Amino acid sequence: MKDFMELARKRFSVRSFKSRPVEKEKIELILRAAQLAPTAVNYQPQMIYLLKSDDALQKIRLLTRSTYDAPMVFLICADEDRAWKSRMEPGYSTAEMDASIVATHMMLEAWELGVGSVWVRLFDSRQVAAAFKLPSNIKPICLLPIGYAADDCVPYAPWHDVYRPIEEFFAEL
């Protein structure tokens, strides 16, 4: 197993992909990482769709330009009926948070397998839900365009390796 800090440091958002699809075995490992991700009360509200048919890719590309011509795209959703809801704060649900944690685990496992991805939220979730005829309890949270990085792919932002000092975002109370 690779050192986690090294994995987290090296991973970057891939925005330029080869057309080569990701092998089924690697997709299964990425989904296993999604399955193992922590969620509130372990309710596991994630619902994940793999968009890889020409029809599905055309639909999502009409709704966002941020698929970066990846050969496949995970549509990460949350099932509001399965998500944990707070009794102390009415209306609060962990659905989006849980789905985001799942997506993070998927991105890290993909990188470990030599597969690139990018977390995308540049879309109207209502349009995505309608385009894919999702049930009303299934809420699109993010997209993960996924595939092998193009040979010339580098981090998009020049500040990719610049980090705030811990003292700026941490305090003991």
Side-chain angles (χ1 to χ4, degrees):
M1 178 191 303
K2 281 187 178 178
D3 176 72
F4 176 76
M5 293 294 196
E6 183 72 6
L7 174 67
R9 188 183 66 73
K10 285 190 172 182
R11 192 217 143 269
F12 66 88
S13 295
V14 172
R15 292 180 174 87
S16 179
F17 295 92
K18 295 178 180 177
S19 60
R20 173 181 160 203
V22 178
E23 297 85 351
K24 182 180 181 215
E25 299 78 25
K26 289 185 179 182
I27 295 295
E28 289 170 358
L29 289 169
I30 293 165
L31 291 173
R32 177 72 172 135
Q35 183 183 41
L36 295 174
T39 58
V41 197
N42 200 30
Y43 281 180
Q44 304 172 40
Q46 67 268 20
M47 187 64 206
I48 302 167
Y49 301 90
L50 180 57
L51 311 179
K52 66 177 190 174
S53 71
D54 290 339
D55 180 55
L57 289 170
Q58 182 179 355
K59 278 183 191 178
I60 199 63
R61 289 177 179 149
L62 287 172
L63 299 174
T64 179
R65 68 183 198 282
S66 296
T67 62
Y68 305 102
D69 293 320
M72 46 186 61
V73 177
F74 281 114
L75 168 56
I76 314 293
C77 299
D79 182 340
E80 287 285 357
D81 292 345
R82 290 188 64 95
W84 181 81
K85 292 158 188 75
S86 174
R87 290 184 289 275
M88 296 176 69
E89 189 175 339
Y92 182 83
S93 161
T94 60
E96 184 171 350
M97 190 179 329
D98 289 339
S100 293
I101 293 168
V102 166
T104 300
H105 274 62
M106 293 173 72
M107 288 187 299
L108 290 170
E109 177 61 16
W111 194 262
E112 175 77 11
L113 296 169
V115 175
S117 64
V118 57
W119 194 99
V120 170
R121 186 59 179 95
L122 189 59
F123 61 89
D124 183 318
S125 58
R126 296 163 298 190
Q127 291 177 350
V128 170
F132 292 100
K133 298 179 175 58
L134 302 180
S136 61
N137 58 305
I138 303 295
K139 303 296 182 202
I141 303 299
C142 66
L143 301 173
L144 285 185
I146 189 165
Y148 292 97
D151 293 334
D152 60 350
C153 187
V154 294
Y156 176 74
W159 54 87
H160 172 75
D161 289 325
V162 176
Y163 302 97
R164 289 173 50 202
I166 292 172
E167 298 79 26
E168 285 187 15
F169 66 82
F170 172 77
E172 287 187 39
L173 301 177

